[in-house]
Structure formats: C-alpha cells, structure tokens
C-alpha cells in the first residue's frame, strides 16, 4: 500500500478509542447520511437510502406474502384524536411537532405531525369496519414520522425517521396475539437472514412497553460497544384503542363488539444496527443482502492487455443476478479504490489486471475476512455467488460470537454494577418484575430491562437486585 | 342480470348528469380513497395505493435506468431557507403548513412542512458540491408534500399528496435543458405506455410556470368532461436557486461557478387522471399496466364438476406473470361479483363453470369493450396475455379519439367563449404570449394556457384573442 492509502484509513477514529466518534466518522465518510439545517433531522444520502430500499423490498414482500396490503394515512393528526387513548397521549404528546398555521391562517385546532399513526388509523377503521366478515384488517404503511428528540444521532435516534407501521384488526385476542408474534418472527428473520444481525426476542416490561399497548414484543441486538439496540417492536394493543375509538362490528352472534388490534414497526434505525454490529476500524462491513453494491470490480492497469474488455464482459455476466459496479475512475490508484470500497463495506472485490488475463484468473477479496484468493475466470460467477452466501453466514456467526462473549450472568447487584461500568453487554438475570426494582437498576447502572425473552432459563429463585422472589429471567443492558 | 345487479350499477351517478358527483362516487365506491378527519387530507386505501405502487415501480425503474438515485431529505424546512429564492417564497408561502412548537416548546424559527424540496435540497447541495468532477447530481425522492389548499378533491388537489421530486445539477445550461426534456419524455412514456393516457407536451407560459423556474415543461391530458389535467411537470431552474443558495463548484478552468439545475415531479394526481380518462358509468376502467388486479377469476357453481380444482389450476398457472385473483366468496352471486369487479375496473374476467369444464373452455370478459368470448383452456394464458396488451392499446386509442373530438380551432374570441361554455375541451390557437391577453382569456372564459406545445402549427398571423401579432400556437382549456 502507498502512502495515500494509509492516510485514507486513518480518517476513521478507531472504535476502541471513541466508539461514538467512530460511528460518526463511518456514517459521514461513507456518505450514508448528512446533518440537515434543522437540528435532529438527517438527510439520507443515496448510499444510505439504497440500503433502506433493499430492506424495504425484502420486508414488503414478506408482509404481502402474509396477506398485508399497503395504504397511506394523513401526515397530520388533530390534537383531539391524539388525546383519545389516555396512555398514548401521555407517552407521545411531549415529543410531537405541532402545526398551528395553514397558509396565513391560524388553525382552529392544532395538528400534530404523526409520531405514529394508531390514532388516525383507528379513527378511519371505526368508519370502515361493519361486520365480522370484514375482518381481519391487515394494513401497513411506509412513511416518515416525527418525534421531537432532545439528543439525536443519525439512524439511531432522530427527530424524523423512515419506517413502516402495520395496523391490524382481528376478531379475537388469540388472533391478535398470533399476528403480533408472526410479525415479530418476520422481523427476527429480517434481522438474521437479511442483515446477519442476531437478535434476542421477547416481551417488554410494563414500564418499557409502547404507550397504550397491552403487551409489547421486541427484538434486541447487541452492538460492538456492548449497548443494546431495540431493533423492532410488535404490539398487542388488545381493545385499548378500539374501545377508545369506538370501533365496533356486528359479530357472528349478532352482538356489537370491539375488535382486537395490533401494530408493529421497524425503522431506518436498522441501518444504525448494521453499522454497529458489523463495522470495523476500516469502516462499514455490509451484509450482502442489503449492500447497494455487492461486488465491485477494480481494473488494474486498465489500458493494457484487454483489461477493459474483460472487465466489461465480467460486469455484463454478473449484472443480471448481482448488484455489481465497475470502478473505472481514472484519477485514482487501485490502492485508493481498494481502501474506499473497503470503507464503504462492499462485501466482495474483484481485482483484474493484464497478468490475471494471461492466466485466465481474477483476484477475489472478501471484506469480512480481508482474505484474497485467486479464482479461474470461468468459475468466477459461481464463486462470487457462493462467497456472498459465505460472507453472510460468517457475519452472522461473528456477530453471534461477539454477543455471546458480551453476555454475562450475575450473582448480585454489585456484579451487575461492575459489568455495566467495565465491560457493558447483555446481563441475563432472574428478576422480580417489580417497577421499583426496575427503576433502581436503571438509576444505579444505567441499564434497562431489554426484554423478557421467550427462551427462559431458570437461573435461581430470587431476584439478584432486590432479593425478592424471582418471576422471570430477563435481559438487561444499556441501550441506544 | 338479476335485480340485485341492476341496483349495484345504479349506485354511480352517470357522468352526463353530474361529472363531479360521478368522480366522487367512483373513488369512494371502488375503495380507492376516503376522506380523513382533517379537511383536505385524504386516506389512500389499499386498492388506490396498489395503483400508486405500480406507477412507482415503473417510474423508479425508468429513473434508475437513466442514472438517478433515490435519497431522503427532511420533512421540515426552516422559514429562512424558504425565503432565499424570492419568486419561490412568493409562490409557496401562502400555502404552507407551519410547525411552531416541538413538544412543549415554541420554536425559535418556524418550520414549514415541505410543499416541495428545492430549498432544503439546494442547502445540502451547496455543502456537497465541490468540483466539476462531482457533477451531475442526479437525485430523486419519493415522499409526501403539504400545500394548504382551500378547495380540494381526492387525488386531483389535496392538502397532502404523494409524489416524486427529482433534483439535478449540471455543468451547463444545455445539459440541464437536456435533463429537463428527458424527464418530461419519461413522464410522457409513463402516461402513454403505462397509463394509456395520451398527453400533449410543451412549455408553460411565463404566468403558469413554477415559482422560481427559468422554464417549466408540462404534460397535459384531457379528461372526459373536457377539462385539462396537468399530469406532470419538469423545470429548468437554470441558476435561479443555485445563485440564491450560493452553490459553487470549481470548474475545469479553475473558476468558481454556479451549476445549472432542474427539478421534476409527478404525483398521485395521475390516479385522478386515470379515473377521468378511462372511467365510465359502470365505474373504473383500469389500464392493465397499473391495475392491482389484472384478471379476476369468478367460478360459477363452484361446488360442481371440479370447478374449484380447475380454478386453482388456472390461478396457479397465471399467477407467475399476471396479477390475478380468484373471487370465491360464498355469499355473493356470480352476477354481483361481475358487477363489483367491473366497477373496480379489472381489465379481464375469466368465468368458468361445470359446462365450461366439460367443453375445456372458459369465458373471457373485457372491461374496456364489455365483450365476451369463449377460449379453449389450453390457450387461456396466451390469450389473456394478448388481451391485456389489446386492452391497453384500445384504451389509449379511445382516449386519443376522445381528445381529438374535444379539440377545437377557433377564429375569434367569441368562438372561444362559446366553446368553453357549451362543449369544453382543448382549444388550439395562435397566441401573442402577452400577460394581459392571458389574464383576459382566463377572466372571460375560465380557460388558461395549458402549454405551448413542442409540435407547433402555423394557424395564422394574429392572436385571435387580442388581434396582436401571434408568436406561438398554444393549447387552452379549463383545468383541474
């Protein structure tokens, strides 16, 4: 590597030195995102947006396979609607943006920019639902929402973010519960099979659940710095909103009833998760499923020995099934290009020069292992397709290992405090499930209950934090 | 047809009786859209949204093929940015929604909900653009925008609508002009090849151009009632915004220069166009390219003679290449289903009963011609695919004929007034291009200059409205 190459790498602060600065360096230098003139609002640049499009495509297909249809509800919600469900307004009112004027006129009633759409959607559902024959309602929307946040970081917590929100109605509690868990399962598969990001799934504590929910389910991923990321939630809202919004239907038995209700969402936050689970000190490491460029071809000495022609041929051959690009910029050296594409996290690089053409071969570089291998040209496409799968599997495995290394058991509160101070990660512990205990844990360690996992282990009889009887095993961590 | 069927059809007001009521009946009864609790804001229901998704898919592919990438810019724009380009703020300030409070706090500066994003995007471009090597910038975003409208109608004019907005920067005026016209051409092809909606393309008058544009180009379609619909616009913004926002780059000659700029957009308004160009007194007539359901299969006497099995087989065979649905609802008669799917505009219907199975045939019904034909089962898929193409071509032809019938030449102002009163449509006439004349035409006939078409005809020497020297031929019409 030349001098220029070394300078290139040094632009990203090592994560061991300052993880927050590492994150900021990565997202800005790889052109995922930029800050906007409005504090807390981000601009998603084409490279970042292409990741979101790939996530959208996968998830939208999964939603449609399971019978959901997309629609679009208004951006602005009257204050009176937001107030209809008591817990909901209490949770969201402090963080909404208010529209008070339309054109030159002051509005008779303030409108909030949607922080989430349960209220406006329930208002419409109350108009649409007549009979049990209409059920289930299985609708989703892709949109942006606004929550006025004091402290923000691109992708992880911003005053505006992009997401999808599913809103469904069902005849019975059981069907609503089944839907809630089905969507959580789709989220888990998205995380693991598309993003190579292992997650723990389970239920939120009463304190941490969604404002207005009967029960909230979550998937939680562990980042490189040992902090957890809530990566997607699915809520069984039971009849809380359908009662408040007076949604009724004529049931099979001729009685008017309130349907059961779910909502579920994931957001551009997932991109923050991808960065912090897979990234390293060279920059991004993107899972092949969502990488905007899965393979980059860098010609070496492009003007010699038919390199350009061969590169064009390889490009044309790969293009149909793989997101491939050729970097034929003339004013950059191959070494510079290697570093840039490594920083941008492209899973595979093909290097090909006159020597390679003589030998009917190319060099394949893997971003995840930093390993190179020589491949015969007539096996290139097969090899590339196989390696993209290998990269995914390796990223998922590495992330699982990282998580396991940072997952601890504790015997008492002192151990918990020490872990959270010195080597944060997931702590698995029995818990009494009491609010007072939960508040104390947070106050003294900054950790919160991330979830009560579906996969329970019996680690003891008492709550190690307060000594009372243990009810469940839970995951605790500091969180984004 | 039974009694029930006749009632069904009668629910839509005939367009000859009341065109506006016909439109409202169609959009509500076919479940495209609903009114929301906030005046002027619409809910796009799944059937309407699926049309938009099909339009998006086609256009997004076209944009990407021509080198454009998607990104996302913030929803909220500071008032100071909106004010930077003088004509722009004058045009948009009267119709924006203002956010004045975030959570409990009053904001130091008001933020407007984007009515269009030139200002926020130019602010970011001024940060990103450094060198001629960075050009062109070819970016697009899909989002919703808000314009506070006094009088609204779903899809055609609403206070919030969904659209795409492309924003590009170029080195030269010529390149910007080429981009402006290229995108207009893509819009025209979308209208004609996807939506079967013929359009006239040309330039807007100075009065009608976009606030802040150097020149606005438009495509204009003619509706059943003889009113024009501006269906998409593409603006050459020259250096108006890039100067106001101080966007500079270091050019090849070492000088700092302002780039040239374009923007272009189409919206959910296109759906209103589809309805009013193709619809009839039975309801929607959807072009196959965007129909959420291209073919519906209605089993007759489903429990007899292996009908269900055969329907499943046909469905499985068509499904891979065609958007097909089976209507196997038990509590509706075939006649009721026929009427409902006709109202919903599904291009083709397959009817199949025990007799058909005996004869190895099915009945194919075309929504556009209302004609039925019997088809051998082993040729069904080929036939369906061929007919979907025929339906498209026929819809386009019918719409062209309708437009031609409603396109008039005039000799003087009196003829113009009479046409606009008695049989509105497009009027092609020479024009002086003076603002005073334009204002007078609008005041006396309610018609506006729709565009100065690229295809000019020399119809005379003088402006028939004011007698001055004619400069161009223009299309005039009342418009949505």
């Amino acid at each position: 590597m030349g001098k220029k190459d070394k300078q290139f790498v040094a632009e990203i602060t090592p994560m061991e030195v300052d993880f927050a600065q590492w994150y900021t360096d990565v997202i800005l230098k790889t052109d995922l995102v930029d800050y906007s003139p409005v504090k807390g609002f981000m601009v998603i640049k084409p490279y970042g947006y292409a990741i979101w499009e790939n996530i959208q495509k996968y998830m939208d297909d999964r939603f449609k396979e399971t019978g959901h249809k997309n629609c679009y509800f208004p951006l602005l919600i009257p204050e009176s609607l937001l107030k209809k469900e008591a817990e909901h307004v209490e949770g969201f009112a402090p963080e909404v943006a208010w529209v008070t004027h339309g054109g030159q006129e002051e509005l008779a009633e303030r409108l909030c920019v949607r922080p989430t759409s349960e209220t406006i959607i329930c208002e419409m559902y109350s108009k649409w639902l007549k009979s049990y024959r209409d059920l289930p309602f299985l609708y989703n929307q892709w949109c942006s929402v606004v929550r006025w946040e004091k402290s923000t970081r691109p992708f992880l917590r911003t005053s505006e973010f992009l997401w999808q929100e599913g809103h469904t109605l069902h005849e019975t509690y059981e069907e609503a519960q089944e839907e809630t868990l089905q969507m959580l399962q789709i989220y888990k598969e998205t995380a693991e099979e598309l993003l190579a990001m292992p997650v723990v799934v389970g239920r939120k504590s009463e304190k941490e659940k969604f404002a207005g929910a009967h029960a909230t389910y979550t998937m939680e991923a562990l980042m490189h710095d040992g902090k957890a990321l809530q990566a997607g939630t699915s809520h069984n809202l039971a009849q809380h909103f359908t009662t408040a919004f007076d949604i009724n239907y004529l049931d099979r038995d001729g009685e008017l009833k309130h349907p059961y209700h779910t909502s579920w969402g994931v957001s551009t936050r997932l991109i923050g998760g991808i960065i912090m689970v897979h990234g390293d000190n060279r920059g991004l490491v993107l899972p092949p499923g969502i990488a905007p460029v899965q393979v980059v071809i860098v010609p070496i000495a492009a003007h010699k020995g038919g390199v350009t022609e061969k590169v064009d041929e390889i490009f044309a051959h790969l293009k149909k099934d793989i997101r491939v690009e050729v970097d034929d910029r003339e004013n950059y050296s191959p070494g510079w290009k290697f570093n840039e594409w490594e920083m941008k996290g492209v899973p595979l690089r093909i290097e090909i020069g006159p020597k390679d053409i003589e030998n009917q071969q190319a060099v394949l570089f893997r971003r995840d292992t930093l390993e190179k291998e020589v491949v015969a040209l007539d096996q290139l496409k097969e090899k590339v397709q196989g390696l993209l799968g290998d990269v995914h599997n390796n990223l998922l495995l590495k992330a699982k290992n990282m998580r396991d290394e940072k997952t601890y058991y504790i015997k008492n509160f002192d151990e918990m405090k020490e872990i959270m101070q010195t080597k944060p990660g997931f702590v698995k512990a029995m818990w009494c499930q009491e609010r007072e205990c939960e508040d104390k844990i947070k106050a003294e360690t900054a950790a919160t209950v991330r979830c009560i996992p579906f996969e329970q282990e019996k680690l003891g009889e008492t709550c190690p934090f307060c000594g009372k009887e243990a009810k469940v095993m839970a995951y605790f961590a500091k969180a984004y």
Side-chain angles (χ1 to χ4, degrees), chain A residues 85 87 118 173 176-181 184 202-218 232-241 260-265 433 451-452 454:
Chain A
E85 209 287 337
E87 286 180 22
E118 278 75 9
Y173 176 85
Q177 180 68 3
E178 199 181 311
E179 169 80 4
T180 308
L181 297 181
L184 188 72
R203 190 164 51 80
K204 283 282 181 196
S205 69
E206 287 301 298
K207 180 185 174 186
E208 298 282 338
K209 74 181 187 190
F210 176 77
H214 167 70
T216 287
Y217 299 87
T218 181
T233 49
S234 186
H235 316 293
N236 185 336
L237 304 167
Q239 295 171 312
H240 295 198
F241 287 84
Y260 291 84
H261 178 207
T262 86
S263 70
W264 26 275
Q433 271 190 306
C451 72
I452 299 151
F454 296 140

Side-chain angles (χ1 to χ4, degrees), chain A residues 16 22 29 33 112 188 216 247 271 335 458:
Chain A
E16 301 77 13
W22 168 83
K29 285 179 199 298
V33 81
C112 81
K188 182 182 197 300
T216 287
I247 308 180
I271 300 175
K458 177 93 179 178

Side-chain angles (χ1 to χ4, degrees), chain A residues 180-433:
Chain A
T180 308
L181 297 181
Q182 172 186 253
M183 300 324 289
L184 188 72
Q185 178 62 21
I186 288 178
Y187 288 171
K188 182 182 197 300
E189 287 167 20
T190 302
E192 298 187 345
E193 293 170 20
L194 187 75
L195 313 179
M197 181 168 81
V199 290
V200 173
V201 288
R203 190 164 51 80
K204 283 282 181 196
S205 69
E206 287 301 298
K207 180 185 174 186
E208 298 282 338
K209 74 181 187 190
F210 176 77
H214 167 70
T216 287
Y217 299 87
T218 181
M219 63 175 179
E220 304 278 325
L222 199 67
M223 306 294 107
H224 267 316
D225 62 347
K227 283 168 83 173
L229 185 78
Q230 176 181 304
T233 49
S234 186
H235 316 293
N236 185 336
L237 304 167
Q239 295 171 312
H240 295 198
F241 287 84
T242 63
T243 306
F245 284 82
D246 210 20
I247 308 180
N248 292 305
Y249 69 96
L250 202 61
D251 202 359
R252 295 163 202 273
D253 57 10
E255 304 262 318
L256 269 186
K257 293 181 188 165
H258 298 307
Y260 291 84
H261 178 207
T262 86
S263 70
W264 26 275
V266 299
S267 74
T268 36
R269 188 165 229 226
L270 286 175
I271 300 175
I274 296 166
I275 299 163
M276 294 195 294
V277 165
H278 302 302
D280 63 21
N281 286 337
R282 292 179 185 227
L284 291 175
V285 180
L286 295 178
I290 51 82
V293 181
Q294 295 174 308
V295 178
V296 63
I297 307 174
V298 179
I300 317 287
H303 298 301
K304 290 183 198 160
V307 171
T308 302
E309 294 72 18
K310 184 52 82 180
V311 163
D312 289 348
E313 190 187 314
I314 296 171
F315 174 74
H317 187 48
L318 296 183
K319 198 175 75 161
K320 211 185 139 231
D321 306 296
I322 294 162
R323 293 189 290 272
V324 58
E325 270 190 27
V326 175
D327 185 353
D328 55 6
R329 288 176 296 175
E330 296 202 343
N331 41 345
Y332 294 89
S333 70
W336 202 96
K337 292 178 183 176
F338 293 175
N339 279 319
E340 185 175 50
W341 291 109
E342 285 172 32
M343 182 177 78
K344 295 195 97 168
V346 171
L348 294 179
R349 177 172 78 233
I350 297 171
E351 307 166 12
I352 186 159
K355 272 259 166 69
D356 299 305
I357 290 177
E358 271 175 37
N359 299 321
Q360 286 294 304
Q361 66 183 34
V363 175
L364 259 176
F365 172 83
R366 272 176 74 155
R367 175 64 179 89
D368 62 327
T369 58
L370 306 177
E371 286 168 359
K372 281 188 180 189
E373 67 179 300
V374 171
V375 178
L377 283 182
D378 59 4
Q379 287 161 29
L380 190 60
K381 186 165 182 179
E382 266 181 6
K383 189 72 193 175
V384 162
Q385 286 178 313
L387 276 182
L388 288 174
D390 293 350
V391 169
H392 174 91
N393 294 336
N394 180 50
L395 288 179
L396 183 59
L397 185 68
K398 273 171 79 171
K400 274 188 177 148
N401 290 340
M402 184 268 284
R403 182 184 68 183
D404 291 348
E405 279 164 27
K406 291 185 198 290
T407 299
Y408 311 102
Y409 295 90
I410 52 148
K411 285 196 283 294
N412 53 50
F413 210 151
D414 283 343
E415 278 185 17
M416 173 78 168
K417 287 180 199 164
E418 201 200 321
I419 283 169
M420 289 300 155
Q421 268 172 23
T422 59
K423 49 172 187 182
F426 273 142
V427 163
K428 282 164 94 166
M430 298 309 288
W431 182 45
C432 62
Q433 271 190 306

Side-chain angles (χ1 to χ4, degrees), chain A residues 144-176:
Chain A
S144 82
V145 289
V146 169
R147 298 177 186 178
W148 216 259
E149 299 280 359
K150 292 214 166 56
S151 164
T152 59
R153 196 177 298 179
F155 296 123
L156 300 173
R157 189 173 295 277
T158 44
S159 290
E160 182 188 15
F161 55 87
L162 303 183
W163 79 343
Q164 61 68 217
E165 45 179 327
H167 296 267
T168 71
L169 295 183
H170 306 266
E171 273 190 82
T172 65
Y173 176 85
E174 290 69 28
E175 282 172 49

Side-chain angles (χ1 to χ4, degrees), chain A residues 46-58:
Chain A
Y47 198 61
Y49 198 82
I51 294 176
W52 182 237
E53 285 181 302
N54 290 331
I55 294 173
Q56 277 192 299
K57 176 78 179 69
Y58 175 93

Side-chain angles (χ1 to χ4, degrees), chain A residues 102-165:
Chain A
Q104 320 290 27
E105 283 166 32
E106 189 168 352
L107 304 179
E109 182 183 8
R110 303 200 290 180
L111 304 170
C112 81
V113 182
R114 68 180 157 228
T116 179
S117 302
E118 278 75 9
T119 56
I120 184 93
I121 290 179
C122 281
E123 182 73 7
M124 297 311 298
Y125 281 1
S126 74
K127 209 173 140 185
W128 297 345
L129 181 63
K130 309 277 182 220
S131 151
Y132 71 91
R133 287 199 182 88
D134 305 330
L135 293 171
F137 278 10
L138 301 173
Y139 302 138
N140 176 65
Q141 79 176 352
W142 293 94
C143 63
S144 82
V145 289
V146 169
R147 298 177 186 178
W148 216 259
E149 299 280 359
K150 292 214 166 56
S151 164
T152 59
R153 196 177 298 179
F155 296 123
L156 300 173
R157 189 173 295 277
T158 44
S159 290
E160 182 188 15
F161 55 87
L162 303 183
W163 79 343
Q164 61 68 217
E165 45 179 327

